Every structure is written in structure tokens, then in C-alpha cells.
Amino acid sequence: MVRLLRGTLLQFRHDPFLGPPEDALQVEEDGAVIVRGGCIESVGPYDALRARCASDIPEDDHRGCLIGPGFIDAHVHYPQLRAIASYGEQLLNWLERYIFPEEARFADIRYAREIARSFMDELLRNGTTTAAVYCTVHPQSVDAFFEESSHRNTRMIAGKVLMDRNAPEALRDTARTGFDQSRDLIEKWHGNGRQLYAVTPRFAPTSTPEQLDAAGKLLDLAPDLFMQTHLLETKAEEEWVRALFPRRSGYLDVYDHARLVRQRSIFGHGVHLTEHDRHHCHDAGCAIAHCARSNQFLGSGLFDLASAKQASRPLRVALGSDIGAGDSLSLLRVANESYKVAQIRGHKLHPAQAYWLATTGGAEALHLDHLIGAVQPGREADLCVLDPRATEISARRVAHATSWNDVLFALMMLGDDRHIRATYVAGERVYPSAP
Ligand code: GUN
Ligand code: ZN
């Protein structure tokens, strides 16, 4: 299948956290992308590309819209889709009161399939083409998710939650069964088409030291496996971890002791990281998923992005919606909240930096930048087309924008799912779907 997309192309000249953010975006105003066999074949000015390619190649006209990489959501729980917007609790009580009862329903694979389908619809409608996804403790919740993702040919990272203590009985595995079930799922799904597996201990309080050690051993089973968990989201959680692991020097050390701090490890939140932790994460090459909307919703705290990105030891940071603690799957909405959190901290989050975190920087954070995250020849053709004028308010605002950075800023402040004009997965338009 071959196709030409016409519109304004967004690419990065450099990492906007390392070079001047104002100059980071490279914009081809009347640009084109040719996709063939699921990958990006060529990119450039429309006139030049059209002249070079066969006249019968179909063309999707997105003039007036921005063509960029699909969004990358580095932290999200698909089973929590229906528990979104649950009132009045902070993390630990919120888990007990709302989340664990909902996750228990995923013992039923029919229910898991129904939610997986709806979740994938919503992701694509929001322009997200890759996500790092928590399933539940039930292996069938993982099958349901990967079956749905395979069906849509999306590049997804997901895994079975490991939880052998401090959770309701119906949601507990053991160090042994958690290991065996994860091993079987790795064999079945890791590298199966575009699917990638993440070993997923929920967080230190719900795993015994034996289970965390087993998670470390799982990572030795196949190359390029991911690991995902939560880290330093709230102060109460941090204190609980200190009480549960008195022999460890801190929360990150609990994971490090089990050999879980490495490349392709994705730590959700990291709101309360110390400087020592940041050095450790930098050296290890692991990623932090910045989940600003979730942190605000649960009252968890203000992630210090400026410190995380300090140029002397920059961390790999990506954005996470963290549904159901987050209240939107739109990475535009997550970027909006990240900007406001930076404001409260007295920092500026430049639109090029926020867009980087949601796309190219997110791919880099996950060590997937050789495959996805850029509108460049050779990359997989996962694309998100943004319409800055999709609503009356954004159209009025963009009409007097002073630069492309300003257009992007307006999009991030005013944008949501209505501003997603189209989503492409491996070169096929998947949203909006054909009538
Ligand atoms: N920490 C442990 N589990 C969870 C979860 O499901 N959501 C969030 N936000 N934090 C967690
Ligand atoms: Zn989470």
C-alpha cells in the first residue's frame, strides 16, 4: 500500500532541551510524506515529491494541518478506562476504593476484550499510536489487549501486572505464578508483529522482595524487554516503601536491588526523586513517565521537569496520561497540564519541548527512536495529523499566531481530541475510520 500525505510537516533539528528550543522545530509548510509498506519512504516539499512519484499514487490532502509523528503515551492503564474520574481520594485509598474492584472484573476475558477495544479506539482518536500499557494481574487481560493491538497493527508495549501482597486476594499472584505466567506471555507476544512486552510489577508495596527478584530474572529471558512500574508518586507511598523495605537505602534502591533499573525501564511519576536518584536514572538509561494530569488529579505533587532535564545529566522523560488517575487520553491535554505544573514551579515549558516529549523525545526515552517518533524515511509510518483550527476558539487564536512555535503552543493550550484530524498506523489511516 502506497500513499502520499500532503500538509505542513513537523520535524526536529535537535533536542529542544539540549539546544535552543526556539530553533528546534523544522517546518515544511507545503510538505509531503510518501508511505509505502508501513514505513515512511520519503519526505520533502510537496511539489518535488509529487513530481517524482507515479501520478496514480493516492493523496490525502491535509493542507492547513500539521503532520507529525503519532503521540507516544509512556504510562497508561487500559483496565482503568471505566474508573476514570473517581472522586475524592489520594493514591492509596483511590486504589483500594475504586481501582482494585474494577481491575478484578478483568478475570472475565469478554470484559477485558470489550474494554481493550474501546481503549484502542480512544487512543487512536487522540492521535496516540504507541503506549506503554498496564494490564491487570490476569494473563487473559494481556491476551485481550495484545489481540486487539495486533488486529490494528499498532506498536504497543504491555504486560501483566505482578502483585503478590497488599492487594485483594482476587488480584494476587505469587512470585512463582507471576513469573511463569509472564514468561508464557513473553514467549507469546514479545516481538510478535509490532507487540512488545513489559515486565510489570505494579509498585514496590504490592510485590514481595522475591517477586521483584523474579521480575529481574524475567528481564533476562529475551532481548529488548521493557520493565514498567511506579516510583515516588506520593509521600505516603514513599513512607510505606521505607517501612516495607527497611534494608534498602530508598525507593529506587528497592528496584535497583532487583536489577530493575536499566535501559527500557519506565518509571511512572518520579514526583519525589532526589538528586541522587536523578544521577542514577541518567546513568542507567531508564525513563521517567511524567504524568502531570494524574499527579494533579490525585494531589500527588509537582514533577520537577527542569531538574530532570538538566543538561549536565538529562533524564529520558516521556509523557504519560496515566488513565484512570489521569483524566484524559489526549497528550495535548497532558502537555497543557505539564506546562501549568512547570509554571507553578517557576519554569517555562516551551511548546517545542512539550511536543518533543510527546513524540520524538518519548520514542528516545523508550529506546524506540530507531523505529518510531519521527517523520523521517525508514521510520514506521505512525502519524498524527493535527488541525490547529478545529474549534472556533483555536481558529481565532491561531489566526494571529506569530510563529509555528506559537501555533503549537495554542494547540497545546486549547487542543484536545477535536484537534486530531487523522491518525495513521503503519501507513494506514485508522482514524477517522472509513464510512
Ligand atoms: N501506583 C500503583 N498502582 C497505581 C495505579 O494504578 N495508578 C497510579 N496512578 N499509581 C499507582
Ligand atoms: Zn499508573
Side-chain angles (χ1 to χ4, degrees), residues 82-134:
R82 255 176 38 112
I84 195 168
S86 291
Y87 171 76
E89 303 290 358
Q90 297 210 344
L91 175 64
L92 300 175
N93 290 334
W94 171 84
L95 284 173
E96 292 276 345
R97 179 168 170 194
Y98 298 113
I99 298 306
F100 290 157
E102 178 62 15
E103 291 195 4
R105 304 183 68 181
F106 286 72
D108 176 357
I109 193 164
R110 283 166 309 178
Y111 186 67
R113 285 188 179 130
E114 177 193 331
I115 301 295
R117 188 177 332 115
S118 162
F119 175 82
M120 286 297 306
D121 282 343
E122 286 298 305
L123 267 193
L124 297 170
R125 211 167 61 71
N126 281 286
T128 299
T129 50
T130 289
V133 180
Y134 288 63

Short mmCIF file of all heavy atoms in Angstrom, two decimals, residues 82-134:
data_model
loop_
_atom_site.label_atom_id
_atom_site.label_comp_id
_atom_site.label_asym_id
_atom_site.label_seq_id
_atom_site.Cartn_x
_atom_site.Cartn_y
_atom_site.Cartn_z
N ARG A 82 -12.78 2.68 32.70
CA ARG A 82 -14.12 2.96 33.25
C ARG A 82 -14.07 3.53 34.66
O ARG A 82 -15.10 3.94 35.21
CB ARG A 82 -14.94 1.66 33.26
CG ARG A 82 -16.00 1.60 32.17
CD ARG A 82 -16.68 0.25 32.23
NE ARG A 82 -16.87 -0.18 33.61
CZ ARG A 82 -18.06 -0.30 34.22
NH1 ARG A 82 -19.15 -0.04 33.57
NH2 ARG A 82 -18.13 -0.71 35.47
N ALA A 83 -12.86 3.53 35.27
CA ALA A 83 -12.73 4.05 36.64
C ALA A 83 -12.24 5.50 36.60
O ALA A 83 -11.94 6.09 37.65
CB ALA A 83 -11.76 3.19 37.43
N ILE A 84 -12.15 6.06 35.42
CA ILE A 84 -11.71 7.44 35.24
C ILE A 84 -12.66 8.37 36.02
O ILE A 84 -13.83 8.03 36.21
CB ILE A 84 -11.70 7.75 33.72
CG1 ILE A 84 -10.94 9.00 33.39
CG2 ILE A 84 -13.08 7.74 33.12
CD1 ILE A 84 -10.67 9.13 31.88
N ALA A 85 -12.12 9.47 36.52
CA ALA A 85 -12.94 10.48 37.21
C ALA A 85 -13.63 9.90 38.44
O ALA A 85 -14.83 10.04 38.62
CB ALA A 85 -13.96 11.09 36.24
N SER A 86 -12.86 9.22 39.29
CA SER A 86 -13.40 8.70 40.55
C SER A 86 -13.06 9.67 41.68
O SER A 86 -11.89 10.00 41.90
CB SER A 86 -12.83 7.31 40.85
OG SER A 86 -13.33 6.38 39.91
N TYR A 87 -14.04 10.05 42.43
CA TYR A 87 -14.00 11.21 43.31
C TYR A 87 -13.25 11.03 44.64
O TYR A 87 -13.39 10.01 45.30
CB TYR A 87 -15.45 11.63 43.64
CG TYR A 87 -15.54 12.68 44.71
CD1 TYR A 87 -15.23 14.01 44.42
CD2 TYR A 87 -15.90 12.35 46.01
CE1 TYR A 87 -15.29 14.98 45.40
CE2 TYR A 87 -15.98 13.32 47.00
CZ TYR A 87 -15.66 14.63 46.69
OH TYR A 87 -15.72 15.59 47.65
N GLY A 88 -12.50 12.03 45.01
CA GLY A 88 -12.23 12.34 46.40
C GLY A 88 -11.08 11.66 47.12
O GLY A 88 -10.89 11.92 48.30
N GLU A 89 -10.30 10.79 46.48
CA GLU A 89 -9.26 10.07 47.23
C GLU A 89 -7.87 10.37 46.64
O GLU A 89 -7.75 10.67 45.47
CB GLU A 89 -9.49 8.55 47.15
CG GLU A 89 -10.83 8.07 47.64
CD GLU A 89 -10.99 8.19 49.16
OE1 GLU A 89 -10.05 8.62 49.84
OE2 GLU A 89 -12.09 7.86 49.64
N GLN A 90 -6.87 10.21 47.49
CA GLN A 90 -5.49 10.23 47.01
C GLN A 90 -5.04 8.79 46.76
O GLN A 90 -5.79 7.84 46.99
CB GLN A 90 -4.61 10.96 48.00
CG GLN A 90 -5.03 12.43 48.13
CD GLN A 90 -3.90 13.37 48.48
OE1 GLN A 90 -2.83 12.97 48.92
NE2 GLN A 90 -4.14 14.67 48.28
N LEU A 91 -3.82 8.65 46.25
CA LEU A 91 -3.40 7.39 45.62
C LEU A 91 -3.83 6.10 46.34
O LEU A 91 -4.52 5.27 45.76
CB LEU A 91 -1.87 7.39 45.42
CG LEU A 91 -1.29 6.08 44.90
CD1 LEU A 91 -1.81 5.77 43.51
CD2 LEU A 91 0.24 6.13 44.89
N LEU A 92 -3.39 5.91 47.60
CA LEU A 92 -3.53 4.58 48.18
C LEU A 92 -5.00 4.23 48.45
O LEU A 92 -5.43 3.10 48.19
CB LEU A 92 -2.66 4.47 49.45
CG LEU A 92 -1.16 4.70 49.18
CD1 LEU A 92 -0.35 4.69 50.48
CD2 LEU A 92 -0.57 3.69 48.19
N ASN A 93 -5.78 5.20 48.92
CA ASN A 93 -7.21 4.95 49.12
C ASN A 93 -7.96 4.83 47.80
O ASN A 93 -8.92 4.07 47.67
CB ASN A 93 -7.84 6.06 49.98
CG ASN A 93 -7.37 5.98 51.41
OD1 ASN A 93 -6.99 4.90 51.89
ND2 ASN A 93 -7.33 7.11 52.09
N TRP A 94 -7.51 5.61 46.82
CA TRP A 94 -8.12 5.56 45.48
C TRP A 94 -7.96 4.17 44.88
O TRP A 94 -8.89 3.60 44.29
CB TRP A 94 -7.47 6.66 44.64
CG TRP A 94 -7.77 6.68 43.18
CD1 TRP A 94 -8.84 7.25 42.57
CD2 TRP A 94 -6.93 6.15 42.14
NE1 TRP A 94 -8.73 7.11 41.20
CE2 TRP A 94 -7.58 6.44 40.92
CE3 TRP A 94 -5.71 5.47 42.12
CZ2 TRP A 94 -7.04 6.06 39.68
CZ3 TRP A 94 -5.18 5.10 40.90
CH2 TRP A 94 -5.84 5.39 39.70
N LEU A 95 -6.75 3.58 45.06
CA LEU A 95 -6.53 2.21 44.56
C LEU A 95 -7.50 1.24 45.22
O LEU A 95 -8.15 0.44 44.55
CB LEU A 95 -5.08 1.77 44.86
CG LEU A 95 -3.96 2.34 43.99
CD1 LEU A 95 -2.60 1.93 44.54
CD2 LEU A 95 -4.09 1.87 42.54
N GLU A 96 -7.59 1.30 46.55
CA GLU A 96 -8.44 0.37 47.30
C GLU A 96 -9.91 0.55 46.94
O GLU A 96 -10.64 -0.43 46.75
CB GLU A 96 -8.31 0.65 48.81
CG GLU A 96 -6.96 0.32 49.40
CD GLU A 96 -6.85 -1.15 49.75
OE1 GLU A 96 -7.89 -1.83 49.82
OE2 GLU A 96 -5.70 -1.61 49.95
N ARG A 97 -10.33 1.80 46.89
CA ARG A 97 -11.76 2.06 46.79
C ARG A 97 -12.29 1.88 45.37
O ARG A 97 -13.38 1.36 45.16
CB ARG A 97 -12.03 3.49 47.29
CG ARG A 97 -13.47 3.87 47.22
CD ARG A 97 -13.72 5.15 47.99
NE ARG A 97 -15.07 5.64 47.72
CZ ARG A 97 -15.51 6.84 48.01
NH1 ARG A 97 -14.70 7.70 48.61
NH2 ARG A 97 -16.73 7.20 47.73
N TYR A 98 -11.52 2.32 44.39
CA TYR A 98 -12.04 2.33 43.01
C TYR A 98 -11.33 1.37 42.06
O TYR A 98 -11.95 0.76 41.21
CB TYR A 98 -11.90 3.74 42.41
CG TYR A 98 -12.68 4.81 43.13
CD1 TYR A 98 -12.00 5.83 43.81
CD2 TYR A 98 -14.06 4.82 43.12
CE1 TYR A 98 -12.71 6.83 44.46
CE2 TYR A 98 -14.78 5.82 43.77
CZ TYR A 98 -14.09 6.83 44.44
OH TYR A 98 -14.80 7.81 45.07
N ILE A 99 -10.00 1.32 42.17
CA ILE A 99 -9.23 0.65 41.11
C ILE A 99 -9.21 -0.86 41.26
O ILE A 99 -9.45 -1.59 40.30
CB ILE A 99 -7.80 1.23 41.06
CG1 ILE A 99 -7.87 2.73 40.71
CG2 ILE A 99 -6.93 0.47 40.07
CD1 ILE A 99 -8.64 3.06 39.45
N PHE A 100 -8.93 -1.34 42.48
CA PHE A 100 -8.85 -2.79 42.63
C PHE A 100 -10.20 -3.47 42.29
O PHE A 100 -10.21 -4.48 41.57
CB PHE A 100 -8.34 -3.17 44.02
CG PHE A 100 -6.87 -2.84 44.23
CD1 PHE A 100 -6.34 -2.65 45.51
CD2 PHE A 100 -6.00 -2.72 43.15
CE1 PHE A 100 -4.99 -2.36 45.69
CE2 PHE A 100 -4.64 -2.43 43.33
CZ PHE A 100 -4.14 -2.25 44.61
N PRO A 101 -11.33 -2.93 42.75
CA PRO A 101 -12.60 -3.57 42.35
C PRO A 101 -12.80 -3.59 40.83
O PRO A 101 -13.28 -4.59 40.29
CB PRO A 101 -13.67 -2.70 43.02
CG PRO A 101 -12.95 -2.03 44.17
CD PRO A 101 -11.54 -1.84 43.73
N GLU A 102 -12.42 -2.53 40.15
CA GLU A 102 -12.59 -2.51 38.69
C GLU A 102 -11.64 -3.51 38.03
O GLU A 102 -12.03 -4.24 37.11
CB GLU A 102 -12.36 -1.09 38.15
CG GLU A 102 -12.45 -0.95 36.64
CD GLU A 102 -13.83 -1.29 36.05
OE1 GLU A 102 -14.82 -1.37 36.81
OE2 GLU A 102 -13.89 -1.51 34.82
N GLU A 103 -10.39 -3.56 38.49
CA GLU A 103 -9.43 -4.49 37.88
C GLU A 103 -9.85 -5.94 38.08
O GLU A 103 -9.55 -6.80 37.25
CB GLU A 103 -8.01 -4.21 38.40
CG GLU A 103 -7.47 -2.87 37.89
CD GLU A 103 -5.95 -2.69 38.06
OE1 GLU A 103 -5.28 -3.63 38.49
OE2 GLU A 103 -5.47 -1.59 37.71
N ALA A 104 -10.56 -6.22 39.18
CA ALA A 104 -10.99 -7.60 39.44
C ALA A 104 -11.92 -8.10 38.32
O ALA A 104 -12.00 -9.30 38.06
CB ALA A 104 -11.70 -7.68 40.79
N ARG A 105 -12.60 -7.21 37.66
CA ARG A 105 -13.54 -7.61 36.60
C ARG A 105 -12.82 -8.20 35.39
O ARG A 105 -13.45 -8.85 34.53
CB ARG A 105 -14.37 -6.40 36.15
CG ARG A 105 -15.11 -5.76 37.32
CD ARG A 105 -15.98 -4.64 36.87
NE ARG A 105 -17.10 -5.14 36.08
CZ ARG A 105 -18.03 -4.37 35.52
NH1 ARG A 105 -17.98 -3.07 35.70
NH2 ARG A 105 -19.00 -4.88 34.81
N PHE A 106 -11.48 -7.98 35.29
CA PHE A 106 -10.74 -8.45 34.11
C PHE A 106 -10.40 -9.93 34.16
O PHE A 106 -9.73 -10.45 33.26
CB PHE A 106 -9.51 -7.57 33.87
CG PHE A 106 -9.90 -6.23 33.32
CD1 PHE A 106 -10.54 -5.28 34.13
CD2 PHE A 106 -9.68 -5.92 32.00
CE1 PHE A 106 -10.95 -4.06 33.61
CE2 PHE A 106 -10.08 -4.70 31.47
CZ PHE A 106 -10.72 -3.77 32.28
N ALA A 107 -10.88 -10.62 35.21
CA ALA A 107 -10.80 -12.08 35.20
C ALA A 107 -11.63 -12.62 34.04
O ALA A 107 -11.37 -13.70 33.52
CB ALA A 107 -11.32 -12.63 36.53
N ASP A 108 -12.62 -11.86 33.65
CA ASP A 108 -13.52 -12.25 32.55
C ASP A 108 -12.95 -11.72 31.22
O ASP A 108 -12.95 -10.51 30.99
CB ASP A 108 -14.90 -11.65 32.83
CG ASP A 108 -15.89 -11.92 31.71
OD1 ASP A 108 -15.51 -12.53 30.68
OD2 ASP A 108 -17.06 -11.50 31.86
N ILE A 109 -12.49 -12.62 30.38
CA ILE A 109 -11.82 -12.17 29.15
C ILE A 109 -12.78 -11.40 28.22
O ILE A 109 -12.36 -10.52 27.48
CB ILE A 109 -11.11 -13.32 28.41
CG1 ILE A 109 -10.17 -12.74 27.34
CG2 ILE A 109 -12.13 -14.30 27.81
CD1 ILE A 109 -9.15 -13.66 26.79
N ARG A 110 -14.08 -11.70 28.34
CA ARG A 110 -15.01 -10.94 27.48
C ARG A 110 -15.04 -9.48 27.88
O ARG A 110 -15.07 -8.58 27.03
CB ARG A 110 -16.42 -11.55 27.57
CG ARG A 110 -16.54 -12.83 26.75
CD ARG A 110 -17.79 -13.57 27.14
NE ARG A 110 -17.82 -13.70 28.61
CZ ARG A 110 -18.80 -14.27 29.30
NH1 ARG A 110 -19.83 -14.75 28.69
NH2 ARG A 110 -18.75 -14.36 30.63
N TYR A 111 -15.02 -9.25 29.18
CA TYR A 111 -14.99 -7.86 29.66
C TYR A 111 -13.67 -7.19 29.25
O TYR A 111 -13.65 -6.06 28.77
CB TYR A 111 -15.16 -7.84 31.19
CG TYR A 111 -15.28 -6.45 31.74
CD1 TYR A 111 -16.40 -5.67 31.44
CD2 TYR A 111 -14.28 -5.90 32.54
CE1 TYR A 111 -16.52 -4.38 31.94
CE2 TYR A 111 -14.39 -4.61 33.05
CZ TYR A 111 -15.51 -3.86 32.74
OH TYR A 111 -15.62 -2.58 33.23
N ALA A 112 -12.57 -7.94 29.41
CA ALA A 112 -11.25 -7.40 29.03
C ALA A 112 -11.23 -7.03 27.55
O ALA A 112 -10.72 -5.97 27.16
CB ALA A 112 -10.17 -8.43 29.34
N ARG A 113 -11.81 -7.87 26.72
CA ARG A 113 -11.84 -7.60 25.27
C ARG A 113 -12.66 -6.35 24.96
O ARG A 113 -12.27 -5.53 24.13
CB ARG A 113 -12.43 -8.79 24.52
CG ARG A 113 -11.46 -9.94 24.42
CD ARG A 113 -12.00 -11.03 23.48
NE ARG A 113 -11.05 -12.12 23.39
CZ ARG A 113 -11.35 -13.41 23.57
NH1 ARG A 113 -12.60 -13.77 23.83
NH2 ARG A 113 -10.41 -14.32 23.48
N GLU A 114 -13.77 -6.23 25.65
CA GLU A 114 -14.64 -5.07 25.41
C GLU A 114 -13.91 -3.76 25.76
O GLU A 114 -13.92 -2.79 24.99
CB GLU A 114 -15.91 -5.22 26.27
CG GLU A 114 -16.86 -4.06 26.16
CD GLU A 114 -17.93 -4.11 27.26
OE1 GLU A 114 -18.28 -5.22 27.72
OE2 GLU A 114 -18.40 -3.03 27.64
N ILE A 115 -13.23 -3.76 26.90
CA ILE A 115 -12.54 -2.52 27.33
C ILE A 115 -11.31 -2.29 26.45
O ILE A 115 -11.00 -1.14 26.09
CB ILE A 115 -12.17 -2.59 28.82
CG1 ILE A 115 -13.43 -2.79 29.67
CG2 ILE A 115 -11.42 -1.34 29.25
CD1 ILE A 115 -14.43 -1.65 29.65
N ALA A 116 -10.61 -3.36 26.07
CA ALA A 116 -9.43 -3.20 25.21
C ALA A 116 -9.82 -2.55 23.88
O ALA A 116 -9.12 -1.67 23.37
CB ALA A 116 -8.75 -4.55 24.98
N ARG A 117 -10.95 -2.97 23.35
CA ARG A 117 -11.39 -2.42 22.06
C ARG A 117 -11.71 -0.93 22.21
O ARG A 117 -11.26 -0.09 21.42
CB ARG A 117 -12.63 -3.19 21.57
CG ARG A 117 -13.02 -2.81 20.15
CD ARG A 117 -14.20 -3.62 19.60
NE ARG A 117 -14.31 -4.95 20.16
CZ ARG A 117 -15.33 -5.37 20.91
NH1 ARG A 117 -16.34 -4.56 21.19
NH2 ARG A 117 -15.36 -6.59 21.37
N SER A 118 -12.43 -0.61 23.25
CA SER A 118 -12.82 0.77 23.47
C SER A 118 -11.58 1.64 23.76
O SER A 118 -11.46 2.77 23.28
CB SER A 118 -13.82 0.76 24.62
OG SER A 118 -13.97 1.97 25.19
N PHE A 119 -10.64 1.09 24.52
CA PHE A 119 -9.40 1.81 24.84
C PHE A 119 -8.61 2.12 23.57
O PHE A 119 -8.14 3.24 23.36
CB PHE A 119 -8.57 0.95 25.80
CG PHE A 119 -7.21 1.51 26.12
CD1 PHE A 119 -7.05 2.48 27.09
CD2 PHE A 119 -6.08 1.03 25.46
CE1 PHE A 119 -5.79 2.99 27.39
CE2 PHE A 119 -4.82 1.53 25.76
CZ PHE A 119 -4.67 2.51 26.73
N MET A 120 -8.48 1.12 22.69
CA MET A 120 -7.72 1.35 21.45
C MET A 120 -8.42 2.37 20.56
O MET A 120 -7.77 3.21 19.93
CB MET A 120 -7.53 0.03 20.69
CG MET A 120 -6.52 -0.90 21.31
SD MET A 120 -4.86 -0.26 21.38
CE MET A 120 -4.61 0.16 19.69
N ASP A 121 -9.74 2.32 20.51
CA ASP A 121 -10.48 3.35 19.75
C ASP A 121 -10.15 4.74 20.27
O ASP A 121 -9.89 5.67 19.50
CB ASP A 121 -12.01 3.15 19.91
CG ASP A 121 -12.54 2.01 19.05
OD1 ASP A 121 -11.83 1.59 18.12
OD2 ASP A 121 -13.66 1.56 19.33
N GLU A 122 -10.16 4.87 21.59
CA GLU A 122 -9.93 6.18 22.20
C GLU A 122 -8.49 6.66 21.98
O GLU A 122 -8.25 7.83 21.71
CB GLU A 122 -10.23 6.12 23.70
CG GLU A 122 -11.69 6.08 24.01
CD GLU A 122 -12.42 7.33 23.51
OE1 GLU A 122 -12.01 8.45 23.86
OE2 GLU A 122 -13.37 7.19 22.74
N LEU A 123 -7.54 5.74 22.12
CA LEU A 123 -6.14 6.12 21.91
C LEU A 123 -5.96 6.70 20.52
O LEU A 123 -5.38 7.78 20.34
CB LEU A 123 -5.23 4.89 22.00
CG LEU A 123 -4.57 4.47 23.29
CD1 LEU A 123 -3.51 3.43 22.98
CD2 LEU A 123 -3.95 5.62 24.05
N LEU A 124 -6.46 5.98 19.52
CA LEU A 124 -6.24 6.39 18.13
C LEU A 124 -7.00 7.68 17.81
O LEU A 124 -6.53 8.52 17.06
CB LEU A 124 -6.63 5.25 17.18
CG LEU A 124 -5.77 3.99 17.36
CD1 LEU A 124 -6.36 2.82 16.56
CD2 LEU A 124 -4.31 4.22 16.97
N ARG A 125 -8.13 7.84 18.42
CA ARG A 125 -8.91 9.06 18.24
C ARG A 125 -8.17 10.28 18.81
O ARG A 125 -8.41 11.42 18.42
CB ARG A 125 -10.25 8.89 18.98
CG ARG A 125 -11.42 9.60 18.39
CD ARG A 125 -12.71 9.09 19.03
NE ARG A 125 -12.75 9.31 20.47
CZ ARG A 125 -12.89 10.49 21.05
NH1 ARG A 125 -13.00 11.58 20.33
NH2 ARG A 125 -12.92 10.59 22.36
N ASN A 126 -7.28 10.00 19.76
CA ASN A 126 -6.47 11.06 20.36
C ASN A 126 -5.09 11.18 19.74
O ASN A 126 -4.23 11.89 20.26
CB ASN A 126 -6.36 10.84 21.87
CG ASN A 126 -7.62 11.31 22.60
OD1 ASN A 126 -7.83 12.51 22.74
ND2 ASN A 126 -8.46 10.39 23.02
N GLY A 127 -4.85 10.46 18.65
CA GLY A 127 -3.58 10.60 17.94
C GLY A 127 -2.44 9.82 18.54
O GLY A 127 -1.29 9.97 18.12
N THR A 128 -2.73 8.96 19.51
CA THR A 128 -1.66 8.17 20.15
C THR A 128 -1.52 6.84 19.42
O THR A 128 -2.49 6.09 19.27
CB THR A 128 -1.99 7.92 21.64
OG1 THR A 128 -2.08 9.19 22.29
CG2 THR A 128 -0.93 7.07 22.31
N THR A 129 -0.30 6.55 18.98
CA THR A 129 -0.08 5.33 18.20
C THR A 129 0.79 4.31 18.93
O THR A 129 0.84 3.15 18.53
CB THR A 129 0.56 5.68 16.84
OG1 THR A 129 1.69 6.53 17.07
CG2 THR A 129 -0.43 6.39 15.93
N THR A 130 1.49 4.75 19.97
CA THR A 130 2.24 3.80 20.81
C THR A 130 1.99 4.16 22.26
O THR A 130 1.96 5.34 22.62
CB THR A 130 3.75 3.87 20.52
OG1 THR A 130 4.02 3.31 19.23
CG2 THR A 130 4.57 3.10 21.55
N ALA A 131 1.80 3.12 23.09
CA ALA A 131 1.65 3.36 24.52
C ALA A 131 2.30 2.23 25.31
O ALA A 131 2.41 1.11 24.81
CB ALA A 131 0.17 3.46 24.88
N ALA A 132 2.74 2.57 26.52
CA ALA A 132 3.21 1.56 27.47
C ALA A 132 2.06 1.33 28.43
O ALA A 132 1.69 2.22 29.20
CB ALA A 132 4.45 2.03 28.19
N VAL A 133 1.51 0.12 28.37
CA VAL A 133 0.18 -0.15 28.93
C VAL A 133 0.25 -1.20 30.04
O VAL A 133 0.81 -2.28 29.85
CB VAL A 133 -0.75 -0.65 27.80
CG1 VAL A 133 -2.15 -0.95 28.33
CG2 VAL A 133 -0.83 0.37 26.67
N TYR A 134 -0.35 -0.88 31.19
CA TYR A 134 -0.53 -1.86 32.24
C TYR A 134 -1.81 -2.64 31.96
O TYR A 134 -2.86 -2.03 31.69
CB TYR A 134 -0.68 -1.19 33.60
CG TYR A 134 0.59 -0.58 34.17
CD1 TYR A 134 1.24 0.46 33.50
CD2 TYR A 134 1.12 -1.02 35.37
CE1 TYR A 134 2.40 1.03 34.03
CE2 TYR A 134 2.28 -0.45 35.90
CZ TYR A 134 2.91 0.57 35.23
OH TYR A 134 4.04 1.13 35.75
#
